Amino acid sequence: MPQAAHVSRALSPQAHSLVEQESRQGVEQAFALFDQVSSQLSQSYSLLEARVSELKGELAVVSAQRIEELNEKERLANRLQHLLDLLPGGVIVIDGQGSVREANPAACELLGEPLIGQLWREVIARSFAPRL
């Protein structure tokens, strides 16, 4: 730093003025560039906020549609379950492992309980075995 002061004193007043002017221009250019980048960043942020708001709106619409679809499916499932419960014939649902997963009241009355969770072949053996 002492060398810089020594060089500064060694310059003529005109040269010193020229150095100050160039330094001032460099600072002004740096501030101008900073303002430009700051403005671009601000614009980009505003565009991003607008896009996020737009996407939130789209998401709300899609979510409302999905909820309505789920409600409709739930109403349909309840209606079908009610119909199965009222059927006079027995209805049984068996999974891939041969276990009873669902049975309507008529099936329970015809085949006896327990049914749910039982192997179908065991239900057959129990319910259809020859009897005196």
Side-chain angles (χ1 to χ4, degrees):
M1 196 72 155
Q3 289 178 331
H6 178 63
V7 169
S8 177
R9 281 185 284 221
L11 294 175
S12 68
Q14 290 175 333
H16 188 62
S17 175
L18 184 62
V19 168
E20 281 183 10
Q21 189 177 16
E22 287 176 0
S23 177
R24 205 173 296 131
Q25 285 176 347
V27 170
E28 287 174 1
Q29 286 176 346
F31 276 123
L33 182 60
F34 177 79
D35 284 344
Q36 181 183 4
V37 170
S38 178
S39 176
Q40 289 174 349
L41 183 61
S42 181
Q43 289 173 351
S44 295
Y45 185 75
S46 294
L47 289 173
L48 183 61
E49 281 182 324
R51 184 65 178 140
V52 166
S53 178
E54 182 181 316
L55 290 173
K56 281 182 180 179
E58 289 176 16
L59 181 62
V61 168
V62 170
S63 293
Q65 289 172 344
R66 294 288 182 241
I67 288 171
E68 185 57 36
E69 288 174 8
L70 287 174
N71 288 337
E72 181 60 30
K73 288 179 182 179
E74 186 176 352
R75 283 190 293 272
L76 181 60
N78 288 337
R79 184 173 178 199
L80 290 174
Q81 185 63 50
H82 185 68
L83 288 172
L84 282 174
D85 290 346
L86 294 177
L87 277 176
V91 177
I92 294 178
V93 177
I94 301 170
D95 67 14
Q97 287 74 39
S99 294
V100 176
R101 288 292 157 221
E102 294 182 48
N104 71 346
C108 293
E109 190 176 316
L110 291 169
L111 301 173
E113 293 202 42
L115 280 179
I116 308 295
Q118 300 294 309
L119 287 173
W120 177 238
R121 67 176 176 262
E122 292 175 3
V123 174
I124 291 172
R126 173 187 80 205
S127 300
F128 297 102
R131 296 185 187 148
L132 295 176

